[in-house]
Coordinates of all heavy atoms in Angstrom, one line a residue:
M1 N 71.8 -190.3 -241.5 CA 70.4 -190.5 -241.1 C 69.5 -190.4 -242.3 O 69.7 -189.5 -243.1 CB 70.0 -189.5 -240.0 CG 68.6 -189.6 -239.6 SD 68.0 -188.4 -238.4 CE 68.9 -188.9 -236.9
L2 N 68.5 -191.3 -242.3 CA 67.6 -191.3 -243.4 C 66.6 -190.1 -243.3 O 66.2 -189.7 -242.2 CB 66.7 -192.5 -243.4 CG 67.4 -193.8 -243.8 CD1 66.5 -195.0 -243.5 CD2 67.8 -193.8 -245.3
D3 N 66.3 -189.5 -244.5 CA 65.3 -188.5 -244.5 C 64.0 -189.1 -245.0 O 63.9 -189.5 -246.2 CB 65.7 -187.4 -245.5 CG 64.7 -186.3 -245.6 OD1 63.6 -186.3 -245.0 OD2 64.9 -185.3 -246.4
V4 N 63.0 -189.3 -244.1 CA 61.8 -190.0 -244.4 C 60.8 -189.1 -245.1 O 59.7 -189.6 -245.5 CB 61.2 -190.7 -243.2 CG1 62.1 -191.8 -242.7 CG2 60.9 -189.7 -242.1
T5 N 61.1 -187.9 -245.4 CA 60.2 -187.0 -246.0 C 60.4 -187.0 -247.6 O 59.6 -186.4 -248.3 CB 60.3 -185.5 -245.5 OG1 61.6 -185.1 -245.8 CG2 60.0 -185.5 -244.0
T6 N 61.5 -187.6 -248.0 CA 61.7 -187.7 -249.5 C 61.7 -189.1 -249.9 O 61.8 -190.1 -249.1 CB 63.1 -187.1 -249.8 OG1 64.1 -187.8 -249.1 CG2 63.2 -185.6 -249.4
Q7 N 61.5 -189.3 -251.2 CA 61.5 -190.6 -251.8 C 62.9 -191.3 -251.6 O 63.9 -190.7 -252.0 CB 61.2 -190.5 -253.3 CG 61.2 -191.8 -254.1 CD 60.0 -192.7 -253.7 OE1 58.9 -192.2 -253.4 NE2 60.2 -194.0 -253.7
P8 N 63.0 -192.5 -251.1 CA 64.3 -193.1 -250.9 C 64.9 -193.6 -252.2 O 64.1 -193.9 -253.2 CB 64.0 -194.3 -250.0 CG 62.6 -194.7 -250.3 CD 61.9 -193.3 -250.6
T9 N 66.2 -193.5 -252.3 CA 66.9 -194.0 -253.5 C 66.9 -195.5 -253.5 O 66.8 -196.2 -252.4 CB 68.3 -193.5 -253.6 OG1 69.1 -194.1 -252.5 CG2 68.3 -192.0 -253.5
P10 N 67.1 -196.2 -254.6 CA 67.3 -197.6 -254.6 C 68.4 -198.1 -253.7 O 68.3 -199.1 -253.0 CB 67.6 -197.9 -256.1 CG 66.9 -196.9 -256.8 CD 67.1 -195.7 -256.0
D11 N 69.5 -197.3 -253.6 CA 70.6 -197.6 -252.7 C 70.2 -197.6 -251.3 O 70.6 -198.4 -250.4 CB 71.8 -196.7 -253.0 CG 72.5 -197.0 -254.3 OD1 72.4 -198.1 -254.8 OD2 73.2 -196.1 -254.8
Q12 N 69.4 -196.6 -250.9 CA 68.9 -196.5 -249.5 C 68.0 -197.7 -249.2 O 68.0 -198.2 -248.0 CB 68.1 -195.2 -249.3 CG 69.0 -194.0 -249.3 CD 68.3 -192.7 -249.2 OE1 67.3 -192.5 -249.9 NE2 68.8 -191.8 -248.5
I13 N 67.1 -198.1 -250.1 CA 66.3 -199.2 -249.9 C 67.1 -200.5 -249.7 O 66.8 -201.3 -248.8 CB 65.2 -199.4 -251.1 CG1 64.3 -198.1 -251.1 CG2 64.4 -200.7 -250.9 CD1 63.5 -198.0 -252.3
L14 N 68.1 -200.7 -250.5 CA 68.9 -201.9 -250.4 C 69.7 -201.8 -249.1 O 69.7 -202.9 -248.4 CB 69.9 -201.9 -251.6 CG 71.1 -202.9 -251.5 CD1 70.5 -204.3 -251.6 CD2 72.1 -202.7 -252.6
A15 N 70.2 -200.7 -248.7 CA 71.0 -200.6 -247.5 C 70.1 -200.9 -246.3 O 70.5 -201.6 -245.3 CB 71.6 -199.2 -247.4
A16 N 68.9 -200.4 -246.3 CA 68.0 -200.7 -245.2 C 67.7 -202.1 -245.0 O 67.6 -202.7 -243.9 CB 66.7 -199.9 -245.3
R17 N 67.4 -202.8 -246.2 CA 67.2 -204.2 -246.2 C 68.4 -205.0 -245.7 O 68.3 -205.9 -244.8 CB 66.8 -204.7 -247.5 CG 66.5 -206.2 -247.6 CD 66.1 -206.7 -248.9 NE 67.1 -206.5 -250.0 CZ 68.2 -207.3 -250.2 NH1 68.4 -208.4 -249.4 NH2 69.0 -207.1 -251.2
Q18 N 69.6 -204.7 -246.1 CA 70.8 -205.4 -245.7 C 71.0 -205.1 -244.2 O 71.5 -206.0 -243.5 CB 72.0 -204.9 -246.5 CG 71.9 -205.4 -248.0 CD 73.0 -204.9 -248.9 OE1 73.5 -203.8 -248.6 NE2 73.3 -205.7 -249.9
T19 N 70.8 -203.9 -243.7 CA 71.0 -203.6 -242.3 C 70.1 -204.5 -241.5 O 70.5 -205.0 -240.4 CB 70.7 -202.1 -242.0 OG1 71.7 -201.3 -242.7 CG2 70.8 -201.8 -240.6
A20 N 68.8 -204.7 -242.0 CA 67.9 -205.5 -241.2 C 68.2 -207.0 -241.4 O 67.7 -207.8 -240.6 CB 66.5 -205.3 -241.7
G21 N 69.1 -207.4 -242.3 CA 69.4 -208.8 -242.5 C 68.3 -209.6 -243.2 O 68.2 -210.8 -243.0
H22 N 67.5 -208.9 -244.0 CA 66.4 -209.6 -244.7 C 66.8 -209.9 -246.1 O 67.6 -209.2 -246.8 CB 65.2 -208.7 -244.7 CG 64.5 -208.5 -243.4 ND1 63.9 -207.3 -243.1 CD2 64.3 -209.3 -242.4 CE1 63.4 -207.4 -241.9 NE2 63.7 -208.6 -241.4
T23 N 66.1 -211.0 -246.6 CA 66.1 -211.2 -248.1 C 65.1 -210.3 -248.7 O 64.3 -209.7 -248.0 CB 65.8 -212.7 -248.4 OG1 64.4 -212.9 -247.9 CG2 66.7 -213.7 -247.7
Q24 N 65.1 -210.2 -250.0 CA 64.0 -209.4 -250.6 C 62.7 -210.0 -250.3 O 61.7 -209.2 -250.1 CB 64.3 -209.3 -252.1 CG 65.5 -208.5 -252.5 CD 65.8 -208.5 -254.0 OE1 65.5 -209.4 -254.7 NE2 66.5 -207.4 -254.4
A25 N 62.5 -211.3 -250.3 CA 61.2 -211.9 -250.0 C 60.8 -211.6 -248.6 O 59.6 -211.3 -248.3 CB 61.3 -213.4 -250.2
Q26 N 61.7 -211.6 -247.6 CA 61.4 -211.3 -246.2 C 61.0 -209.8 -246.1 O 60.0 -209.5 -245.4 CB 62.6 -211.6 -245.3 CG 62.8 -213.0 -245.1 CD 64.2 -213.3 -244.5 OE1 65.1 -212.6 -244.7 NE2 64.2 -214.4 -243.7
A27 N 61.7 -208.9 -246.7 CA 61.3 -207.5 -246.7 C 59.9 -207.3 -247.3 O 59.1 -206.5 -246.7 CB 62.4 -206.7 -247.4
A28 N 59.7 -207.9 -248.4 CA 58.4 -207.8 -249.1 C 57.3 -208.3 -248.2 O 56.2 -207.6 -248.0 CB 58.4 -208.5 -250.4
E29 N 57.4 -209.4 -247.6 CA 56.4 -210.0 -246.7 C 56.1 -209.0 -245.5 O 55.0 -208.9 -245.1 CB 56.8 -211.3 -246.2 CG 55.8 -212.0 -245.3 CD 56.2 -213.4 -244.9 OE1 57.2 -214.0 -245.5 OE2 55.6 -213.9 -243.9
L30 N 57.2 -208.5 -244.9 CA 57.0 -207.6 -243.8 C 56.1 -206.4 -244.1 O 55.4 -205.9 -243.2 CB 58.4 -207.1 -243.3 CG 58.5 -206.4 -242.0 CD1 58.0 -207.2 -240.8 CD2 59.9 -205.9 -241.8
V31 N 56.1 -205.9 -245.3 CA 55.3 -204.8 -245.6 C 54.0 -205.1 -246.5 O 53.4 -204.3 -247.1 CB 56.1 -203.7 -246.3 CG1 57.2 -203.1 -245.4 CG2 56.7 -204.2 -247.7
G32 N 53.7 -206.4 -246.5 CA 52.5 -206.8 -247.1 C 52.5 -207.1 -248.6 O 51.4 -207.1 -249.2
L33 N 53.7 -207.3 -249.1 CA 53.8 -207.7 -250.5 C 53.8 -209.2 -250.7 O 54.3 -209.9 -249.8 CB 55.0 -207.1 -251.1 CG 55.1 -205.5 -251.2 CD1 56.5 -205.1 -251.6 CD2 54.0 -205.0 -252.1
S34 N 53.4 -209.7 -251.8 CA 53.3 -211.1 -252.0 C 54.6 -211.8 -252.3 O 54.7 -213.0 -252.2 CB 52.2 -211.5 -253.0 OG 52.6 -210.9 -254.2
G35 N 55.6 -211.1 -252.7 CA 56.9 -211.7 -253.0 C 58.0 -210.8 -253.2 O 57.8 -209.5 -253.2
G36 N 59.2 -211.3 -253.3 CA 60.4 -210.5 -253.4 C 60.5 -209.8 -254.7 O 61.4 -208.8 -254.8
I37 N 59.8 -210.1 -255.7 CA 59.9 -209.5 -257.0 C 59.7 -208.0 -256.9 O 60.4 -207.2 -257.5 CB 58.9 -210.1 -258.0 CG1 59.1 -211.6 -258.2 CG2 58.9 -209.4 -259.4 CD1 60.4 -211.9 -258.9
R38 N 58.6 -207.6 -256.2 CA 58.3 -206.2 -256.1 C 59.4 -205.4 -255.4 O 59.8 -204.4 -255.7 CB 57.0 -206.0 -255.4 CG 56.6 -204.5 -255.1 CD 56.4 -203.7 -256.4 NE 55.5 -204.2 -257.3 CZ 54.2 -204.0 -257.4 NH1 53.6 -203.3 -256.5 NH2 53.5 -204.6 -258.3
W39 N 59.9 -206.1 -254.3 CA 61.0 -205.4 -253.5 C 62.3 -205.3 -254.4 O 62.9 -204.3 -254.4 CB 61.4 -206.2 -252.3 CG 62.2 -205.4 -251.3 CD1 63.5 -205.3 -251.3 CD2 61.7 -204.5 -250.3 NE1 63.9 -204.4 -250.3 CE2 62.8 -204.0 -249.7 CE3 60.4 -204.2 -249.9 CZ2 62.7 -203.0 -248.7 CZ3 60.3 -203.3 -248.9 CH2 61.4 -202.7 -248.3
A40 N 62.5 -206.2 -255.3 CA 63.6 -206.2 -256.2 C 63.5 -205.0 -257.1 O 64.4 -204.3 -257.5 CB 63.8 -207.5 -257.0
E41 N 62.2 -204.7 -257.5 CA 62.0 -203.6 -258.4 C 62.2 -202.3 -257.7 O 62.7 -201.3 -258.3 CB 60.5 -203.6 -258.9 CG 60.2 -204.7 -259.8 CD 58.7 -204.9 -260.2 OE1 57.9 -204.3 -259.5 OE2 58.4 -205.6 -261.1
Y42 N 61.9 -202.2 -256.4 CA 62.2 -201.0 -255.6 C 63.8 -200.8 -255.5 O 64.2 -199.6 -255.6 CB 61.8 -201.1 -254.2 CG 60.3 -201.2 -254.0 CD1 59.7 -201.8 -252.8 CD2 59.4 -200.7 -254.9 CE1 58.4 -201.9 -252.6 CE2 58.0 -200.8 -254.7 CZ 57.5 -201.4 -253.5 OH 56.2 -201.5 -253.3
E43 N 64.5 -201.8 -255.4 CA 66.0 -201.7 -255.3 C 66.6 -201.4 -256.7 O 67.7 -200.8 -256.7 CB 66.6 -203.0 -254.7 CG 66.2 -203.1 -253.2 CD 66.8 -204.4 -252.6 OE1 67.6 -205.1 -253.3 OE2 66.5 -204.7 -251.4
R44 N 66.0 -201.9 -257.7 CA 66.5 -201.7 -259.1 C 66.4 -200.2 -259.5 O 67.3 -199.6 -260.1 CB 65.8 -202.6 -260.1 CG 66.4 -202.5 -261.4 CD 65.9 -203.6 -262.4 NE 64.5 -203.9 -262.3 CZ 64.1 -205.1 -261.7 NH1 64.9 -206.0 -261.3 NH2 62.8 -205.3 -261.7
G45 N 65.3 -199.6 -259.2 CA 65.1 -198.2 -259.5 C 65.1 -198.0 -261.0 O 65.0 -198.9 -261.8
G46 N 65.4 -196.7 -261.4 CA 65.5 -196.4 -262.8 C 64.2 -196.6 -263.6 O 63.2 -196.8 -263.0
P47 N 64.3 -196.6 -264.9 CA 63.1 -196.7 -265.7 C 62.4 -198.1 -265.6 O 61.2 -198.2 -265.9 CB 63.6 -196.5 -267.1 CG 65.0 -196.7 -267.1 CD 65.5 -196.4 -265.7
T48 N 63.1 -199.1 -265.2 CA 62.5 -200.4 -265.1 C 62.0 -200.8 -263.7 O 61.4 -201.7 -263.5 CB 63.4 -201.6 -265.6 OG1 64.6 -201.5 -264.8 CG2 63.8 -201.4 -267.0
G49 N 62.4 -199.9 -262.7 CA 62.1 -200.2 -261.4 C 60.8 -199.5 -260.9 O 60.4 -198.5 -261.6
R50 N 60.3 -199.9 -259.8 CA 59.1 -199.2 -259.2 C 59.6 -198.4 -258.0 O 60.6 -198.6 -257.5 CB 58.1 -200.2 -258.7 CG 57.4 -201.0 -259.8 CD 56.4 -201.9 -259.2 NE 55.8 -202.6 -260.3 CZ 54.5 -202.4 -260.7 NH1 53.8 -201.5 -260.1 NH2 54.0 -203.1 -261.6
R51 N 58.8 -197.4 -257.7 CA 59.1 -196.6 -256.5 C 58.3 -197.1 -255.4 O 57.1 -197.3 -255.5 CB 58.8 -195.1 -256.8 CG 59.7 -194.6 -257.9 CD 59.4 -193.2 -258.3 NE 59.9 -192.4 -257.2 CZ 60.3 -191.1 -257.3 NH1 60.1 -190.5 -258.4 NH2 60.7 -190.5 -256.2
I52 N 58.9 -197.2 -254.2 CA 58.2 -197.6 -253.0 C 57.3 -196.5 -252.5 O 57.7 -195.3 -252.5 CB 59.2 -198.1 -251.9 CG1 58.5 -198.8 -250.8 CG2 60.1 -196.9 -251.4 CD1 59.4 -199.5 -249.8
D53 N 56.1 -196.8 -252.1 CA 55.2 -195.7 -251.6 C 55.6 -195.3 -250.2 O 56.2 -196.1 -249.5 CB 53.7 -196.1 -251.7 CG 53.5 -197.3 -250.8 OD1 53.6 -198.5 -251.3 OD2 53.1 -197.1 -249.7
A54 N 55.4 -194.1 -249.9 CA 55.8 -193.5 -248.6 C 55.4 -194.3 -247.4 O 56.1 -194.5 -246.4 CB 55.4 -192.1 -248.5
C55 N 54.1 -194.8 -247.4 CA 53.6 -195.5 -246.3 C 54.3 -196.8 -246.1 O 54.7 -197.2 -245.0 CB 52.1 -195.7 -246.5 SG 51.3 -196.6 -245.1
R56 N 54.5 -197.5 -247.1 CA 55.2 -198.8 -247.1 C 56.7 -198.6 -246.6 O 57.2 -199.4 -245.8 CB 55.2 -199.5 -248.4 CG 55.4 -201.0 -248.4 CD 55.2 -201.6 -249.8 NE 53.9 -201.4 -250.3 CZ 52.9 -202.3 -250.1 NH1 53.0 -203.3 -249.4 NH2 51.7 -202.0 -250.7
W57 N 57.3 -197.6 -247.0 CA 58.7 -197.3 -246.6 C 58.8 -197.0 -245.1 O 59.6 -197.5 -244.4 CB 59.2 -196.1 -247.4 CG 60.6 -195.7 -247.1 CD1 61.0 -194.4 -246.8 CD2 61.8 -196.5 -247.1 NE1 62.4 -194.4 -246.6 CE2 62.9 -195.6 -246.8 CE3 62.1 -197.8 -247.4 CZ2 64.2 -196.0 -246.7 CZ3 63.4 -198.2 -247.3 CH2 64.5 -197.4 -247.0
Q58 N 57.8 -196.2 -244.6 CA 57.8 -195.9 -243.2 C 57.5 -197.1 -242.4 O 58.2 -197.3 -241.4 CB 56.6 -194.9 -242.9 CG 56.8 -193.5 -243.6 CD 57.5 -192.5 -242.8 OE1 57.6 -192.6 -241.6 NE2 57.9 -191.4 -243.4
V59 N 56.6 -198.0 -242.8 CA 56.3 -199.2 -242.1 C 57.6 -200.1 -242.0 O 57.9 -200.6 -241.0 CB 55.2 -200.0 -242.8 CG1 55.1 -201.4 -242.3 CG2 53.9 -199.3 -242.5
Y60 N 58.3 -200.2 -243.1 CA 59.5 -201.0 -243.1 C 60.6 -200.5 -242.1 O 61.1 -201.2 -241.4 CB 60.1 -201.1 -244.5 CG 61.3 -202.1 -244.6 CD1 61.0 -203.5 -244.5 CD2 62.6 -201.7 -244.6 CE1 62.0 -204.4 -244.5 CE2 63.6 -202.7 -244.5 CZ 63.3 -204.0 -244.5 OH 64.3 -205.0 -244.4
L61 N 60.8 -199.2 -242.2 CA 61.7 -198.5 -241.3 C 61.3 -198.7 -239.8 O 62.1 -199.0 -239.0 CB 61.9 -197.1 -241.6 CG 62.5 -196.8 -243.0 CD1 62.6 -195.2 -243.2 CD2 63.9 -197.4 -243.1
L62 N 60.0 -198.6 -239.5 CA 59.5 -198.8 -238.2 C 59.7 -200.2 -237.7 O 60.2 -200.5 -236.6 CB 58.1 -198.4 -238.0 CG 57.8 -196.9 -238.0 CD1 56.3 -196.6 -238.2 CD2 58.3 -196.3 -236.7
A63 N 59.3 -201.1 -238.6 CA 59.3 -202.6 -238.2 C 60.8 -203.1 -238.0 O 61.0 -204.0 -237.3 CB 58.6 -203.4 -239.3
T64 N 61.7 -202.4 -238.7 CA 63.1 -202.9 -238.6 C 64.0 -201.9 -237.6 O 65.2 -202.0 -237.6 CB 63.8 -202.9 -239.9 OG1 63.7 -201.7 -240.6 CG2 63.1 -204.0 -240.8
D65 N 63.3 -201.1 -236.9 CA 63.9 -200.1 -236.0 C 65.0 -199.3 -236.6 O 66.0 -199.0 -236.1 CB 64.5 -200.9 -234.8 CG 64.7 -200.0 -233.6 OD1 64.0 -198.9 -233.5 OD2 65.6 -200.3 -232.8
Q66 N 64.6 -198.8 -237.8 CA 65.6 -197.9 -238.6 C 65.0 -196.5 -238.8 O 65.6 -195.7 -239.4 CB 65.9 -198.5 -239.9 CG 66.7 -199.8 -239.8 CD 67.1 -200.3 -241.2 OE1 67.9 -199.8 -241.8 NE2 66.4 -201.4 -241.6
H67 N 63.8 -196.3 -238.3 CA 63.2 -195.0 -238.5 C 63.9 -193.9 -237.7 O 64.3 -194.2 -236.5 CB 61.7 -195.0 -238.1 CG 60.9 -193.8 -238.6 ND1 61.0 -192.6 -238.1 CD2 60.0 -193.8 -239.6 CE1 60.2 -191.8 -238.7 NE2 59.6 -192.5 -239.6
P68 N 64.3 -192.8 -238.3 CA 65.1 -191.8 -237.6 C 64.4 -191.1 -236.5 O 65.0 -190.5 -235.6 CB 65.5 -190.8 -238.7 CG 64.4 -190.9 -239.7 CD 64.0 -192.4 -239.7
E69 N 63.0 -191.1 -236.4 CA 62.3 -190.4 -235.4 C 61.5 -191.2 -234.5 O 61.3 -190.8 -233.3 CB 61.4 -189.3 -236.1 CG 62.1 -188.3 -236.9 CD 61.2 -187.3 -237.6 OE1 60.2 -186.9 -236.9 OE2 61.4 -187.1 -238.8
Y70 N 61.0 -192.3 -234.9 CA 60.0 -193.1 -234.1 C 60.4 -194.5 -234.0 O 61.2 -195.1 -234.7 CB 58.6 -193.0 -234.8 CG 58.1 -191.6 -235.0 CD1 58.1 -191.0 -236.2 CD2 57.6 -191.0 -233.9 CE1 57.6 -189.7 -236.3 CE2 57.1 -189.7 -234.0 CZ 57.1 -189.1 -235.2 OH 56.6 -187.8 -235.4
R71 N 59.9 -195.1 -232.9 CA 60.1 -196.6 -232.6 C 58.7 -197.2 -232.3 O 57.8 -196.5 -231.8 CB 60.9 -196.8 -231.4 CG 62.3 -196.3 -231.5 CD 63.1 -196.6 -230.3 NE 63.8 -197.8 -230.6 CZ 64.7 -198.3 -229.8 NH1 65.0 -197.8 -228.6 NH2 65.3 -199.4 -230.1
L72 N 58.6 -198.4 -232.7 CA 57.4 -199.2 -232.3 C 57.7 -199.7 -230.8 O 58.8 -200.0 -230.4 CB 57.2 -200.4 -233.2 CG 56.9 -200.1 -234.6 CD1 56.8 -201.4 -235.4 CD2 55.6 -199.4 -234.7
A73 N 56.6 -199.7 -230.1 CA 56.7 -200.2 -228.7 C 55.5 -201.1 -228.4 O 54.4 -200.9 -228.9 CB 56.6 -199.0 -227.7
K74 N 55.8 -202.2 -227.7 CA 54.8 -203.2 -227.4 C 53.9 -202.5 -226.3 O 54.3 -201.9 -225.4 CB 55.5 -204.4 -226.8 CG 54.5 -205.5 -226.6 CD 55.2 -206.8 -226.2 CE 54.3 -207.9 -226.1 NZ 54.9 -209.2 -225.8
R75 N 52.6 -202.8 -226.5 CA 51.7 -202.2 -225.5 C 51.8 -203.0 -224.2 O 52.0 -204.2 -224.2 CB 50.2 -202.4 -226.0 CG 49.9 -201.6 -227.2 CD 48.4 -201.8 -227.6 NE 48.1 -201.2 -228.8 CZ 47.4 -200.1 -228.9 NH1 47.0 -199.5 -227.8 NH2 47.2 -199.6 -230.1
R76 N 51.6 -202.2 -223.1 CA 51.6 -202.9 -221.8 C 50.2 -203.5 -221.6 O 49.2 -203.1 -222.1 CB 51.7 -201.8 -220.8 CG 53.1 -201.1 -220.8 CD 53.2 -200.2 -219.6 NE 54.2 -199.2 -219.9 CZ 54.2 -198.0 -219.5 NH1 53.3 -197.5 -218.8 NH2 55.2 -197.2 -219.9
K77 N 50.3 -204.7 -220.9 CA 49.0 -205.4 -220.6 C 48.2 -204.5 -219.6 O 48.8 -204.0 -218.6 CB 49.3 -206.7 -220.0 CG 49.6 -207.8 -221.0 CD 49.6 -209.1 -220.4 CE 49.7 -210.2 -221.4 NZ 49.6 -211.5 -220.9
V78 N 47.0 -204.4 -219.9 CA 46.1 -203.7 -219.0 C 45.4 -204.7 -218.1 O 44.8 -205.7 -218.6 CB 45.0 -202.9 -219.7 CG1 44.1 -202.2 -218.8 CG2 45.7 -201.9 -220.7
T79 N 45.6 -204.6 -216.8 CA 45.0 -205.5 -215.9 C 43.6 -204.9 -215.4 O 43.5 -203.7 -215.1 CB 45.8 -205.8 -214.6 OG1 46.1 -204.5 -214.0 CG2 47.1 -206.5 -215.0
Q80 N 42.6 -205.7 -215.4 CA 41.3 -205.3 -215.0 C 41.1 -205.6 -213.5 O 41.4 -206.6 -213.0 CB 40.2 -205.9 -215.9 CG 40.3 -205.5 -217.3 CD 39.3 -206.2 -218.2 OE1 38.4 -206.9 -217.7 NE2 39.3 -205.9 -219.4
A81 N 40.5 -204.6 -212.9 CA 40.3 -204.7 -211.4 C 39.0 -205.5 -211.2 O 38.1 -205.6 -211.9 CB 40.2 -203.4 -210.8

């Protein structure tokens, strides 16, 4: 199970994307990035890679139903009387 309270490793980021069946570009778009280049940097890690911010990581896990504690749910339609 993922620990969402710590910074994910590049391997965890890669595994989450592969589990979701996304390309790097699709993963990037899902969290509001303009292209797959940034996502590739998250997966590369190390001195040349970037670290994904906690909010963006949480959003990706929620959007792909991989968050260990929470799920997104569609709102019910409210009917007006």
